[in-house]
Amino acid sequence: MGPEGPSCKLQIKVTLQPTKLLQEMTVANEGSTAFEFTAALHSYFRVADITQTRLEGLGEGQQPYLDNMDKRSRKESAGTLTVDQEVDRIYLQASPEVTVVDGAGGHSLQVARSGFPDVVVWNPWVDKSKATGDFGDEEYKEMLCVEVAIAPSGPAKVEGGATWQASQTLSYTQS
């Protein structure tokens, strides 16, 4: 490893099908020294009405998460989330598939992942929407960010000469 950091290669492959999008991420360590990293695929999903949208499949029973709205305190929730205020959570070791159910829009979007143990869920709600320059004042009503990540459960460690792989598949279903 030189003063610039590890010698690595990042490859992102995107495959588009009529109702699916597959994203594959590969990190190859081309050096001899191990390194660690974190990563997230930031996916912002348009919904018809956030108050009629739910995120299902976060985990069985009580699912642990870090609440960024409360100093990253560790909390637990049931496997379904509805949004009626600002949300900024990191679900730890969540189930491998979660589903955004857009009740008002009449469709759902399944987020299946491999290699990314965590799921970040974010909606800025009223105040943060108004304070964010590249975000419309009312756009929080029509969006939900669901990011697959290797963050608090990570970081990922890649030994010299080894590779790390992860993927996300987004599948659209009309109700």
Side-chain angles (χ1 to χ4, degrees), residues 45-119:
F45 300 116
R46 185 176 190 108
V47 297
D49 180 352
I50 190 63
T51 64
Q52 295 182 43
T53 300
R54 63 189 183 276
L55 183 61
E56 298 178 342
L58 290 165
E60 297 296 322
Q62 296 299 306
Q63 176 63 37
Y65 68 92
L66 301 178
D67 190 349
N68 288 323
M69 300 302 301
D70 187 16
K71 300 177 184 170
R72 223 174 216 201
S73 62
R74 187 179 178 102
K75 298 181 179 181
E76 292 184 345
S77 75
T80 299
L81 172 70
T82 55
V83 178
D84 60 3
Q85 62 186 344
E86 185 177 350
V87 172
D88 191 353
R89 298 179 178 180
I90 305 169
Y91 286 86
L92 305 169
Q93 301 290 327
S95 64
E97 295 178 4
V98 296
T99 303
V100 177
V101 180
D102 183 352
H107 66 270
S108 62
L109 188 73
Q110 182 185 62
V111 181
R113 68 192 194 292
S114 174
F116 290 107
D118 306 318
V119 175

Side-chain angles (χ1 to χ4, degrees), residues 4-71:
E4 300 83 29
S7 176
C8 67
K9 181 179 180 181
L10 170 66
Q11 180 180 15
I12 305 279
K13 180 180 175 185
V14 178
T15 305
L16 184 60
Q17 298 174 355
T19 59
K20 289 185 181 183
L21 174 74
L22 170 63
Q23 297 171 291
E24 298 170 287
M25 181 176 181
T26 303
V27 176
N29 184 344
E30 297 180 332
S32 58
T33 305
F35 66 86
E36 296 181 340
F37 69 95
T38 59
L41 298 178
H42 298 257
S43 301
Y44 289 68
F45 300 116
R46 185 176 190 108
V47 297
D49 180 352
I50 190 63
T51 64
Q52 295 182 43
T53 300
R54 63 189 183 276
L55 183 61
E56 298 178 342
L58 290 165
E60 297 296 322
Q62 296 299 306
Q63 176 63 37
Y65 68 92
L66 301 178
D67 190 349
N68 288 323
M69 300 302 301
D70 187 16
K71 300 177 184 170

